[in-house]
Amino acid sequence: MSHETDRRSTGDVGPGFMDAAEVTIREGIARYVIGFVLACLLTAASFYVLDSSLIWGPGIPVALIVLAIAQMGVHLVFFLHINTAPDNTNNVLALAFGVLIVALVIGGSLWIMDHLNENMMPMHQMMQMQR
Amino acid sequence: MSATDTPFERSSDPYRIGHGRDWVSAGGGRGYVYATGHGEGGPASKRVIVGYGFWIFLLSDIVMFSAFFAAHAVLQTATAGGPSGHELFNLWSIVAQTAFLLISSFTCGLSAVATEARNHLWTQVALLVTGLFGLAFLVLEGRDFANMVMQGAGPDRSAFLSSLFAVVGLHGLHVSAGLLWLGTMMAQVFVKGFRPDILRRLVCFNLFWHALDIIWVALFTVVYLIGLGR
């Protein structure tokens, strides 16, 4: 009975697993090398964009955030092995929920605090009213 | 066979979760024999469950970090007349920290490959290199913190610096805890060998260390690179 449930397909992996896919040592190392090279390129691009005139000045923060999100994707796929394999569905769904919460917390905070700053009376005026 | 519920019709639906699997009616009404983890082929193996549980923990950890990031993003310009990031940050130190953590994440992955190959020596070597780069990262971060405090730019100077020390320090605490865990794992692999429970702990440690690097990517981008431009 148990030997039946242990027969998993090649894509049947949880996060961080490689044994189920019967990955050879060479393939396993190759996967990490690809991820490492991609991560290095994206990191170098982030540091390069910072000081170059390649991108329009006010657009640099946006470019940096896009590069960071791309690098996080590389880390998730090549280092944490979050992929589209059937038994990875649970992990991907958990990740999607995590991303939703993170986006709400960060995006919501920035949005609300930005509006508060705009709508608040400047500090020196408030001081004068308190006199 | 007029029923639409035949095995072949079901498994040919490309949008069904877990498609591409063999449908095996293996008696006892168990349905998908190979579909472990979908509740239809018997329980998933302990390794899969442990990995999934630890993944949930990591996601909750990332949610906690997001609150610190939100605080810092809001307070990044609240310098209260004190120094801003542009005056404080040492770019080359950030570059070195980023490189060290990325390399340690890479060697941590190599240790996982060595573990899969059940090679004691290379597992220990890769873990040791991971730890050394992690330690170098912590030393540089500690040096940066000390420099800032000596310049009078400690966490008590402005809201910007409070939130900076909070979010960067929280990551540093995680790295420190990870180093302790790493040392423990090296000792356990040495003493107990590749027992199933040790292998599960190694998988969890790998996930933890890679997650720390993901958080560092967000950190050096939001805190340091964007902070340098302010």
mmCIF file of all heavy atoms in Angstrom, chain A residues 4-5 7 12 17 19 25 32 36 43 47 50 64 68 72 75 79-80 86-87 90-91 94 113, chain B residues 21 30 34 36-38 41 47 52 55 59 74 95 98 106 109 116-117 207 210 213-214 218 221 225:
data_model
loop_
_atom_site.group_PDB
_atom_site.id
_atom_site.type_symbol
_atom_site.label_atom_id
_atom_site.label_comp_id
_atom_site.label_asym_id
_atom_site.label_seq_id
_atom_site.Cartn_x
_atom_site.Cartn_y
_atom_site.Cartn_z
ATOM 1 N N GLU A 4 2.695 2.188 -3.168
ATOM 2 C CA GLU A 4 1.919 2.831 -4.221
ATOM 3 C C GLU A 4 1.932 4.345 -4.057
ATOM 4 O O GLU A 4 2.141 5.075 -5.007
ATOM 5 C CB GLU A 4 0.477 2.339 -4.169
ATOM 6 C CG GLU A 4 0.246 1.102 -5.003
ATOM 7 C CD GLU A 4 -1.212 0.703 -4.976
ATOM 8 O OE1 GLU A 4 -1.855 0.874 -3.917
ATOM 9 O OE2 GLU A 4 -1.699 0.243 -5.989
ATOM 10 N N THR A 5 1.703 4.790 -2.816
ATOM 11 C CA THR A 5 1.622 6.230 -2.622
ATOM 12 C C THR A 5 3.002 6.889 -2.757
ATOM 13 O O THR A 5 3.096 8.094 -2.896
ATOM 14 C CB THR A 5 1.053 6.563 -1.234
ATOM 15 O OG1 THR A 5 1.799 5.818 -0.276
ATOM 16 C CG2 THR A 5 -0.401 6.201 -1.150
ATOM 17 N N ARG A 7 4.989 6.247 -5.197
ATOM 18 C CA ARG A 7 5.358 6.398 -6.607
ATOM 19 C C ARG A 7 4.862 7.736 -7.108
ATOM 20 O O ARG A 7 3.714 7.895 -7.511
ATOM 21 C CB ARG A 7 4.758 5.261 -7.423
ATOM 22 C CG ARG A 7 5.651 4.040 -7.438
ATOM 23 C CD ARG A 7 4.890 2.806 -7.801
ATOM 24 N NE ARG A 7 4.197 2.956 -9.078
ATOM 25 C CZ ARG A 7 3.264 2.097 -9.479
ATOM 26 N NH1 ARG A 7 2.931 1.094 -8.725
ATOM 27 N NH2 ARG A 7 2.682 2.267 -10.644
ATOM 28 N N ASP A 12 6.640 15.908 -8.939
ATOM 29 C CA ASP A 12 5.971 15.901 -7.655
ATOM 30 C C ASP A 12 6.921 16.330 -6.550
ATOM 31 O O ASP A 12 7.501 15.500 -5.866
ATOM 32 C CB ASP A 12 5.462 14.488 -7.401
ATOM 33 C CG ASP A 12 4.543 14.443 -6.204
ATOM 34 O OD1 ASP A 12 4.196 15.524 -5.713
ATOM 35 O OD2 ASP A 12 4.189 13.346 -5.788
ATOM 36 N N PHE A 17 12.655 20.496 -2.549
ATOM 37 C CA PHE A 17 12.929 19.086 -2.780
ATOM 38 C C PHE A 17 13.523 18.859 -4.145
ATOM 39 O O PHE A 17 13.165 19.505 -5.101
ATOM 40 C CB PHE A 17 11.650 18.263 -2.695
ATOM 41 C CG PHE A 17 11.104 18.237 -1.325
ATOM 42 C CD1 PHE A 17 10.074 19.080 -0.981
ATOM 43 C CD2 PHE A 17 11.638 17.415 -0.378
ATOM 44 C CE1 PHE A 17 9.580 19.075 0.285
ATOM 45 C CE2 PHE A 17 11.148 17.405 0.891
ATOM 46 C CZ PHE A 17 10.114 18.237 1.225
ATOM 47 N N ASP A 19 14.815 15.312 -4.617
ATOM 48 C CA ASP A 19 14.964 13.871 -4.756
ATOM 49 C C ASP A 19 13.844 13.268 -5.583
ATOM 50 O O ASP A 19 14.064 12.352 -6.360
ATOM 51 C CB ASP A 19 15.028 13.206 -3.380
ATOM 52 C CG ASP A 19 13.820 13.549 -2.527
ATOM 53 O OD1 ASP A 19 13.167 14.549 -2.844
ATOM 54 O OD2 ASP A 19 13.559 12.821 -1.576
ATOM 55 N N ILE A 25 23.169 14.880 -10.020
ATOM 56 C CA ILE A 25 23.988 15.886 -9.342
ATOM 57 C C ILE A 25 24.295 17.041 -10.289
ATOM 58 O O ILE A 25 24.191 18.217 -9.950
ATOM 59 C CB ILE A 25 25.289 15.259 -8.825
ATOM 60 C CG1 ILE A 25 24.961 14.197 -7.780
ATOM 61 C CG2 ILE A 25 26.204 16.311 -8.228
ATOM 62 C CD1 ILE A 25 26.166 13.469 -7.252
ATOM 63 N N TYR A 32 21.225 25.495 -9.753
ATOM 64 C CA TYR A 32 21.664 26.555 -8.843
ATOM 65 C C TYR A 32 22.589 27.549 -9.544
ATOM 66 O O TYR A 32 22.558 28.741 -9.254
ATOM 67 C CB TYR A 32 22.358 25.953 -7.615
ATOM 68 C CG TYR A 32 21.386 25.393 -6.618
ATOM 69 C CD1 TYR A 32 21.219 24.033 -6.477
ATOM 70 C CD2 TYR A 32 20.604 26.236 -5.841
ATOM 71 C CE1 TYR A 32 20.303 23.508 -5.575
ATOM 72 C CE2 TYR A 32 19.693 25.725 -4.944
ATOM 73 C CZ TYR A 32 19.552 24.361 -4.811
ATOM 74 O OH TYR A 32 18.645 23.865 -3.930
ATOM 75 N N PHE A 36 22.030 31.454 -9.801
ATOM 76 C CA PHE A 36 23.055 32.348 -9.260
ATOM 77 C C PHE A 36 23.470 33.386 -10.303
ATOM 78 O O PHE A 36 23.562 34.581 -9.997
ATOM 79 C CB PHE A 36 24.262 31.510 -8.824
ATOM 80 C CG PHE A 36 25.377 32.306 -8.202
ATOM 81 C CD1 PHE A 36 25.179 32.979 -7.023
ATOM 82 C CD2 PHE A 36 26.618 32.358 -8.809
ATOM 83 C CE1 PHE A 36 26.199 33.703 -6.445
ATOM 84 C CE2 PHE A 36 27.644 33.083 -8.242
ATOM 85 C CZ PHE A 36 27.431 33.758 -7.060
ATOM 86 N N THR A 43 21.254 41.796 -9.804
ATOM 87 C CA THR A 43 21.829 42.640 -8.761
ATOM 88 C C THR A 43 22.736 43.704 -9.374
ATOM 89 O O THR A 43 22.653 44.885 -9.034
ATOM 90 C CB THR A 43 22.636 41.783 -7.773
ATOM 91 O OG1 THR A 43 21.779 40.770 -7.254
ATOM 92 C CG2 THR A 43 23.173 42.622 -6.646
ATOM 93 N N PHE A 47 22.506 47.916 -9.188
ATOM 94 C CA PHE A 47 23.544 48.866 -8.757
ATOM 95 C C PHE A 47 23.987 49.762 -9.906
ATOM 96 O O PHE A 47 24.397 50.895 -9.695
ATOM 97 C CB PHE A 47 24.733 48.105 -8.155
ATOM 98 C CG PHE A 47 24.495 47.659 -6.741
ATOM 99 C CD1 PHE A 47 23.978 46.403 -6.479
ATOM 100 C CD2 PHE A 47 24.770 48.499 -5.670
ATOM 101 C CE1 PHE A 47 23.742 45.990 -5.174
ATOM 102 C CE2 PHE A 47 24.536 48.097 -4.367
ATOM 103 C CZ PHE A 47 24.023 46.837 -4.122
ATOM 104 N N LEU A 50 21.407 52.653 -10.637
ATOM 105 C CA LEU A 50 21.418 53.688 -9.607
ATOM 106 C C LEU A 50 22.225 54.917 -10.024
ATOM 107 O O LEU A 50 21.817 56.051 -9.795
ATOM 108 C CB LEU A 50 22.010 53.090 -8.324
ATOM 109 C CG LEU A 50 22.012 53.994 -7.101
ATOM 110 C CD1 LEU A 50 20.594 54.240 -6.639
ATOM 111 C CD2 LEU A 50 22.832 53.365 -6.009
ATOM 112 N N LEU A 64 14.270 50.107 -10.071
ATOM 113 C CA LEU A 64 14.888 49.310 -9.007
ATOM 114 C C LEU A 64 13.895 48.298 -8.449
ATOM 115 O O LEU A 64 14.232 47.133 -8.210
ATOM 116 C CB LEU A 64 15.379 50.230 -7.880
ATOM 117 C CG LEU A 64 16.613 51.078 -8.201
ATOM 118 C CD1 LEU A 64 16.889 52.056 -7.078
ATOM 119 C CD2 LEU A 64 17.819 50.186 -8.420
ATOM 120 N N ALA A 68 14.119 44.273 -8.500
ATOM 121 C CA ALA A 68 14.074 43.495 -7.251
ATOM 122 C C ALA A 68 13.019 42.405 -7.346
ATOM 123 O O ALA A 68 13.252 41.261 -6.928
ATOM 124 C CB ALA A 68 13.783 44.424 -6.072
ATOM 125 N N MET A 72 13.570 38.406 -7.000
ATOM 126 C CA MET A 72 12.862 37.534 -6.056
ATOM 127 C C MET A 72 12.251 36.350 -6.797
ATOM 128 O O MET A 72 12.253 35.222 -6.283
ATOM 129 C CB MET A 72 11.759 38.324 -5.351
ATOM 130 C CG MET A 72 12.277 39.321 -4.359
ATOM 131 S SD MET A 72 10.878 40.066 -3.525
ATOM 132 C CE MET A 72 11.566 41.595 -3.022
ATOM 133 N N HIS A 75 14.946 33.836 -7.401
ATOM 134 C CA HIS A 75 15.256 33.099 -6.178
ATOM 135 C C HIS A 75 14.194 32.048 -5.887
ATOM 136 O O HIS A 75 14.503 30.915 -5.514
ATOM 137 C CB HIS A 75 15.340 34.070 -4.996
ATOM 138 C CG HIS A 75 16.630 34.817 -4.927
ATOM 139 N ND1 HIS A 75 17.524 34.662 -3.918
ATOM 140 C CD2 HIS A 75 17.170 35.720 -5.760
ATOM 141 C CE1 HIS A 75 18.576 35.440 -4.138
ATOM 142 N NE2 HIS A 75 18.374 36.096 -5.246
ATOM 143 N N PHE A 79 16.083 28.686 -6.428
ATOM 144 C CA PHE A 79 16.622 28.324 -5.114
ATOM 145 C C PHE A 79 15.572 27.625 -4.247
ATOM 146 O O PHE A 79 15.861 26.646 -3.575
ATOM 147 C CB PHE A 79 17.158 29.560 -4.390
ATOM 148 C CG PHE A 79 18.411 30.129 -5.006
ATOM 149 C CD1 PHE A 79 18.876 31.380 -4.643
ATOM 150 C CD2 PHE A 79 19.132 29.404 -5.940
ATOM 151 C CE1 PHE A 79 20.034 31.903 -5.212
ATOM 152 C CE2 PHE A 79 20.288 29.924 -6.511
ATOM 153 C CZ PHE A 79 20.732 31.175 -6.143
ATOM 154 N N LEU A 80 14.345 28.133 -4.241
ATOM 155 C CA LEU A 80 13.318 27.532 -3.395
ATOM 156 C C LEU A 80 12.487 26.503 -4.157
ATOM 157 O O LEU A 80 11.650 25.839 -3.579
ATOM 158 C CB LEU A 80 12.406 28.616 -2.829
ATOM 159 C CG LEU A 80 13.032 29.443 -1.707
ATOM 160 C CD1 LEU A 80 12.548 30.864 -1.742
ATOM 161 C CD2 LEU A 80 12.704 28.859 -0.359
ATOM 162 N N PRO A 86 2.471 19.859 -10.460
ATOM 163 C CA PRO A 86 1.135 19.647 -9.888
ATOM 164 C C PRO A 86 1.115 19.679 -8.363
ATOM 165 O O PRO A 86 0.273 20.349 -7.770
ATOM 166 C CB PRO A 86 0.758 18.267 -10.405
ATOM 167 C CG PRO A 86 1.514 18.119 -11.665
ATOM 168 C CD PRO A 86 2.792 18.862 -11.484
ATOM 169 N N ASP A 87 2.056 18.986 -7.717
ATOM 170 C CA ASP A 87 1.993 18.962 -6.258
ATOM 171 C C ASP A 87 2.600 20.190 -5.627
ATOM 172 O O ASP A 87 2.728 20.280 -4.407
ATOM 173 C CB ASP A 87 2.665 17.698 -5.721
ATOM 174 C CG ASP A 87 1.600 16.645 -5.465
ATOM 175 O OD1 ASP A 87 0.472 16.864 -5.920
ATOM 176 O OD2 ASP A 87 1.902 15.643 -4.817
ATOM 177 N N ASN A 90 -0.172 23.671 -3.780
ATOM 178 C CA ASN A 90 -0.394 24.197 -2.431
ATOM 179 C C ASN A 90 0.600 25.297 -2.105
ATOM 180 O O ASN A 90 0.234 26.333 -1.546
ATOM 181 C CB ASN A 90 -0.240 23.067 -1.401
ATOM 182 C CG ASN A 90 -1.384 22.093 -1.493
ATOM 183 O OD1 ASN A 90 -2.481 22.457 -1.894
ATOM 184 N ND2 ASN A 90 -1.118 20.859 -1.120
ATOM 185 N N ASN A 91 1.860 25.068 -2.469
ATOM 186 C CA ASN A 91 2.890 26.059 -2.167
ATOM 187 C C ASN A 91 2.638 27.351 -2.928
ATOM 188 O O ASN A 91 2.810 28.443 -2.393
ATOM 189 C CB ASN A 91 4.266 25.520 -2.538
ATOM 190 C CG ASN A 91 4.567 24.237 -1.811
ATOM 191 O OD1 ASN A 91 4.248 24.100 -0.648
ATOM 192 N ND2 ASN A 91 5.156 23.289 -2.512
ATOM 193 N N ALA A 94 -0.248 29.217 -1.341
ATOM 194 C CA ALA A 94 0.183 29.875 -0.111
ATOM 195 C C ALA A 94 0.995 31.120 -0.444
ATOM 196 O O ALA A 94 0.820 32.185 0.170
ATOM 197 C CB ALA A 94 1.005 28.906 0.742
ATOM 198 N N MET A 113 -0.691 56.923 4.056
ATOM 199 C CA MET A 113 0.192 57.932 4.660
ATOM 200 C C MET A 113 0.469 59.073 3.693
ATOM 201 O O MET A 113 0.614 60.229 4.102
ATOM 202 C CB MET A 113 1.506 57.294 5.100
ATOM 203 C CG MET A 113 1.361 56.268 6.196
ATOM 204 S SD MET A 113 0.407 56.836 7.600
ATOM 205 C CE MET A 113 1.582 57.918 8.363
ATOM 206 N N ARG B 21 -1.757 13.538 -14.749
ATOM 207 C CA ARG B 21 -1.473 12.366 -13.935
ATOM 208 C C ARG B 21 -2.243 11.174 -14.460
ATOM 209 O O ARG B 21 -3.222 11.319 -15.157
ATOM 210 C CB ARG B 21 -1.903 12.628 -12.506
ATOM 211 C CG ARG B 21 -1.076 13.652 -11.860
ATOM 212 C CD ARG B 21 -1.522 13.799 -10.430
ATOM 213 N NE ARG B 21 -0.606 14.724 -9.803
ATOM 214 C CZ ARG B 21 0.602 14.362 -9.422
ATOM 215 N NH1 ARG B 21 0.994 13.122 -9.575
ATOM 216 N NH2 ARG B 21 1.391 15.231 -8.889
ATOM 217 N N ARG B 30 -10.228 5.114 -4.108
ATOM 218 C CA ARG B 30 -9.169 6.052 -3.797
ATOM 219 C C ARG B 30 -8.850 7.006 -4.930
ATOM 220 O O ARG B 30 -8.132 7.969 -4.735
ATOM 221 C CB ARG B 30 -7.897 5.303 -3.382
ATOM 222 C CG ARG B 30 -8.012 4.790 -1.960
ATOM 223 C CD ARG B 30 -6.904 3.849 -1.610
ATOM 224 N NE ARG B 30 -5.618 4.492 -1.730
ATOM 225 C CZ ARG B 30 -4.569 3.901 -2.278
ATOM 226 N NH1 ARG B 30 -4.681 2.689 -2.774
ATOM 227 N NH2 ARG B 30 -3.434 4.521 -2.343
ATOM 228 N N TYR B 34 -1.686 8.333 -7.709
ATOM 229 C CA TYR B 34 -0.416 9.064 -7.715
ATOM 230 C C TYR B 34 -0.552 10.487 -7.210
ATOM 231 O O TYR B 34 0.418 11.211 -7.101
ATOM 232 C CB TYR B 34 0.167 9.094 -9.132
ATOM 233 C CG TYR B 34 0.413 7.729 -9.672
ATOM 234 C CD1 TYR B 34 0.129 7.422 -10.994
ATOM 235 C CD2 TYR B 34 0.929 6.741 -8.859
ATOM 236 C CE1 TYR B 34 0.363 6.166 -11.487
ATOM 237 C CE2 TYR B 34 1.156 5.479 -9.344
ATOM 238 C CZ TYR B 34 0.873 5.179 -10.661
ATOM 239 O OH TYR B 34 1.103 3.945 -11.138
ATOM 240 N N THR B 36 -0.587 12.242 -4.676
ATOM 241 C CA THR B 36 -0.329 12.539 -3.278
ATOM 242 C C THR B 36 -0.387 14.035 -3.063
ATOM 243 O O THR B 36 0.000 14.818 -3.920
ATOM 244 C CB THR B 36 1.065 12.048 -2.874
ATOM 245 O OG1 THR B 36 2.011 12.595 -3.786
ATOM 246 C CG2 THR B 36 1.145 10.549 -2.911
ATOM 247 N N GLY B 37 -0.877 14.423 -1.910
ATOM 248 C CA GLY B 37 -0.928 15.843 -1.603
ATOM 249 C C GLY B 37 -2.209 16.500 -2.053
ATOM 250 O O GLY B 37 -2.452 17.642 -1.730
ATOM 251 N N HIS B 38 -3.033 15.793 -2.813
ATOM 252 C CA HIS B 38 -4.326 16.354 -3.175
ATOM 253 C C HIS B 38 -5.434 15.720 -2.360
ATOM 254 O O HIS B 38 -6.606 15.910 -2.660
ATOM 255 C CB HIS B 38 -4.596 16.158 -4.664
ATOM 256 C CG HIS B 38 -3.731 17.012 -5.532
ATOM 257 N ND1 HIS B 38 -3.885 18.370 -5.599
ATOM 258 C CD2 HIS B 38 -2.687 16.707 -6.319
ATOM 259 C CE1 HIS B 38 -2.967 18.864 -6.415
ATOM 260 N NE2 HIS B 38 -2.220 17.877 -6.854
ATOM 261 N N GLY B 41 -4.931 10.543 -2.936
ATOM 262 C CA GLY B 41 -4.063 9.381 -3.123
ATOM 263 C C GLY B 41 -3.414 8.970 -1.827
ATOM 264 O O GLY B 41 -2.283 8.527 -1.824
ATOM 265 N N ARG B 47 8.006 14.387 4.429
ATOM 266 C CA ARG B 47 8.899 15.441 3.929
ATOM 267 C C ARG B 47 8.111 16.552 3.269
ATOM 268 O O ARG B 47 8.392 17.733 3.455
ATOM 269 C CB ARG B 47 9.883 14.853 2.910
ATOM 270 C CG ARG B 47 10.979 14.043 3.529
ATOM 271 C CD ARG B 47 12.056 13.795 2.511
ATOM 272 N NE ARG B 47 12.824 14.998 2.254
ATOM 273 C CZ ARG B 47 13.911 15.026 1.521
ATOM 274 N NH1 ARG B 47 14.353 13.919 0.961
ATOM 275 N NH2 ARG B 47 14.562 16.151 1.321
ATOM 276 N N TYR B 52 5.989 21.960 3.466
ATOM 277 C CA TYR B 52 4.851 22.862 3.290
ATOM 278 C C TYR B 52 4.631 23.684 4.554
ATOM 279 O O TYR B 52 4.433 24.904 4.500
ATOM 280 C CB TYR B 52 3.604 22.039 2.951
ATOM 281 C CG TYR B 52 2.370 22.855 2.732
ATOM 282 C CD1 TYR B 52 2.340 23.849 1.757
ATOM 283 C CD2 TYR B 52 1.223 22.655 3.496
ATOM 284 C CE1 TYR B 52 1.201 24.597 1.542
ATOM 285 C CE2 TYR B 52 0.083 23.397 3.297
ATOM 286 C CZ TYR B 52 0.079 24.368 2.316
ATOM 287 O OH TYR B 52 -1.034 25.123 2.114
ATOM 288 N N TRP B 55 7.176 26.306 4.838
ATOM 289 C CA TRP B 55 6.912 27.335 3.824
ATOM 290 C C TRP B 55 5.858 28.313 4.337
ATOM 291 O O TRP B 55 5.987 29.529 4.167
ATOM 292 C CB TRP B 55 6.480 26.639 2.540
ATOM 293 C CG TRP B 55 6.129 27.506 1.376
ATOM 294 C CD1 TRP B 55 4.992 27.426 0.628
ATOM 295 C CD2 TRP B 55 6.917 28.556 0.786
ATOM 296 N NE1 TRP B 55 5.022 28.358 -0.366
ATOM 297 C CE2 TRP B 55 6.179 29.066 -0.297
ATOM 298 C CE3 TRP B 55 8.156 29.100 1.092
ATOM 299 C CZ2 TRP B 55 6.650 30.099 -1.089
ATOM 300 C CZ3 TRP B 55 8.613 30.143 0.294
ATOM 301 C CH2 TRP B 55 7.869 30.621 -0.773
ATOM 302 N N LEU B 59 6.345 32.333 4.935
ATOM 303 C CA LEU B 59 5.450 33.351 4.392
ATOM 304 C C LEU B 59 4.958 34.268 5.510
ATOM 305 O O LEU B 59 4.864 35.486 5.319
ATOM 306 C CB LEU B 59 4.268 32.690 3.672
ATOM 307 C CG LEU B 59 4.648 32.088 2.317
ATOM 308 C CD1 LEU B 59 3.534 31.214 1.791
ATOM 309 C CD2 LEU B 59 4.959 33.188 1.315
ATOM 310 N N VAL B 74 7.364 54.610 4.662
ATOM 311 C CA VAL B 74 6.620 55.818 5.027
ATOM 312 C C VAL B 74 7.557 56.850 5.665
ATOM 313 O O VAL B 74 7.436 58.056 5.442
ATOM 314 C CB VAL B 74 5.466 55.446 5.987
ATOM 315 C CG1 VAL B 74 4.900 56.681 6.653
ATOM 316 C CG2 VAL B 74 4.382 54.711 5.233
ATOM 317 N N VAL B 95 27.357 46.691 -1.490
ATOM 318 C CA VAL B 95 27.679 45.767 -2.583
ATOM 319 C C VAL B 95 28.282 44.486 -2.014
ATOM 320 O O VAL B 95 27.887 43.370 -2.371
ATOM 321 C CB VAL B 95 28.654 46.423 -3.587
ATOM 322 C CG1 VAL B 95 29.146 45.407 -4.602
ATOM 323 C CG2 VAL B 95 28.000 47.589 -4.293
ATOM 324 N N THR B 98 25.688 42.372 -0.177
ATOM 325 C CA THR B 98 24.812 41.702 -1.129
ATOM 326 C C THR B 98 25.512 40.507 -1.759
ATOM 327 O O THR B 98 24.939 39.412 -1.855
ATOM 328 C CB THR B 98 24.386 42.699 -2.222
ATOM 329 O OG1 THR B 98 23.822 43.848 -1.599
ATOM 330 C CG2 THR B 98 23.386 42.088 -3.158
ATOM 331 N N PHE B 106 23.912 30.590 -2.614
ATOM 332 C CA PHE B 106 24.304 29.655 -3.676
ATOM 333 C C PHE B 106 24.969 28.413 -3.084
ATOM 334 O O PHE B 106 24.604 27.276 -3.406
ATOM 335 C CB PHE B 106 25.248 30.376 -4.638
ATOM 336 C CG PHE B 106 25.831 29.507 -5.704
ATOM 337 C CD1 PHE B 106 25.020 28.878 -6.639
ATOM 338 C CD2 PHE B 106 27.194 29.311 -5.788
ATOM 339 C CE1 PHE B 106 25.558 28.072 -7.622
ATOM 340 C CE2 PHE B 106 27.746 28.511 -6.770
ATOM 341 C CZ PHE B 106 26.919 27.884 -7.687
ATOM 342 N N GLY B 109 22.563 26.139 -1.541
ATOM 343 C CA GLY B 109 21.934 25.270 -2.537
ATOM 344 C C GLY B 109 22.833 24.106 -2.906
ATOM 345 O O GLY B 109 22.368 22.968 -3.051
ATOM 346 N N GLU B 116 21.549 15.501 -1.255
ATOM 347 C CA GLU B 116 20.794 14.554 -2.081
ATOM 348 C C GLU B 116 21.692 13.425 -2.548
ATOM 349 O O GLU B 116 21.246 12.297 -2.730
ATOM 350 C CB GLU B 116 20.173 15.267 -3.289
ATOM 351 C CG GLU B 116 19.035 16.220 -2.944
ATOM 352 C CD GLU B 116 17.953 15.571 -2.106
ATOM 353 O OE1 GLU B 116 17.801 14.342 -2.171
ATOM 354 O OE2 GLU B 116 17.284 16.303 -1.359
ATOM 355 N N ALA B 117 22.964 13.747 -2.785
ATOM 356 C CA ALA B 117 23.914 12.715 -3.202
ATOM 357 C C ALA B 117 24.447 11.935 -2.002
ATOM 358 O O ALA B 117 25.275 11.036 -2.182
ATOM 359 C CB ALA B 117 25.061 13.347 -3.971
ATOM 360 N N LEU B 207 15.468 26.219 3.078
ATOM 361 C CA LEU B 207 14.381 27.146 2.751
ATOM 362 C C LEU B 207 14.570 28.456 3.516
ATOM 363 O O LEU B 207 14.412 29.544 2.964
ATOM 364 C CB LEU B 207 13.033 26.524 3.124
ATOM 365 C CG LEU B 207 12.554 25.385 2.230
ATOM 366 C CD1 LEU B 207 11.329 24.731 2.822
ATOM 367 C CD2 LEU B 207 12.237 25.921 0.854
ATOM 368 N N HIS B 210 17.491 30.604 2.041
ATOM 369 C CA HIS B 210 17.134 31.225 0.758
ATOM 370 C C HIS B 210 16.119 32.349 0.967
ATOM 371 O O HIS B 210 16.187 33.393 0.313
ATOM 372 C CB HIS B 210 16.566 30.179 -0.197
ATOM 373 C CG HIS B 210 17.569 29.167 -0.645
ATOM 374 N ND1 HIS B 210 18.821 29.516 -1.090
ATOM 375 C CD2 HIS B 210 17.523 27.824 -0.718
ATOM 376 C CE1 HIS B 210 19.486 28.423 -1.407
ATOM 377 N NE2 HIS B 210 18.729 27.383 -1.182
ATOM 378 N N ASP B 213 17.718 35.532 1.894
ATOM 379 C CA ASP B 213 18.313 36.261 0.774
ATOM 380 C C ASP B 213 17.246 37.005 -0.017
ATOM 381 O O ASP B 213 17.484 38.110 -0.514
ATOM 382 C CB ASP B 213 19.076 35.281 -0.134
ATOM 383 C CG ASP B 213 20.130 35.988 -0.959
ATOM 384 O OD1 ASP B 213 20.564 37.075 -0.540
ATOM 385 O OD2 ASP B 213 20.509 35.461 -2.014
ATOM 386 N N ILE B 214 16.046 36.413 -0.128
ATOM 387 C CA ILE B 214 14.948 37.104 -0.816
ATOM 388 C C ILE B 214 14.626 38.404 -0.077
ATOM 389 O O ILE B 214 14.435 39.464 -0.685
ATOM 390 C CB ILE B 214 13.708 36.194 -0.894
ATOM 391 C CG1 ILE B 214 13.982 35.044 -1.860
ATOM 392 C CG2 ILE B 214 12.488 36.991 -1.313
ATOM 393 C CD1 ILE B 214 12.797 34.178 -2.105
ATOM 394 N N ALA B 218 14.862 42.664 -1.234
ATOM 395 C CA ALA B 218 13.930 43.768 -0.987
ATOM 396 C C ALA B 218 14.605 44.852 -0.151
ATOM 397 O O ALA B 218 14.413 46.048 -0.385
ATOM 398 C CB ALA B 218 12.689 43.243 -0.274
ATOM 399 N N THR B 221 17.256 47.005 -1.994
ATOM 400 C CA THR B 221 16.603 47.854 -2.983
ATOM 401 C C THR B 221 15.866 49.013 -2.308
ATOM 402 O O THR B 221 16.104 50.178 -2.621
ATOM 403 C CB THR B 221 15.609 47.032 -3.816
ATOM 404 O OG1 THR B 221 16.310 45.976 -4.453
ATOM 405 C CG2 THR B 221 14.946 47.898 -4.849
ATOM 406 N N LEU B 225 19.278 51.348 -1.897
ATOM 407 C CA LEU B 225 19.372 51.984 -3.218
ATOM 408 C C LEU B 225 18.390 53.126 -3.369
ATOM 409 O O LEU B 225 18.750 54.227 -3.798
ATOM 410 C CB LEU B 225 19.176 50.931 -4.316
ATOM 411 C CG LEU B 225 20.255 49.854 -4.369
ATOM 412 C CD1 LEU B 225 20.072 48.967 -5.572
ATOM 413 C CD2 LEU B 225 21.627 50.473 -4.378
#
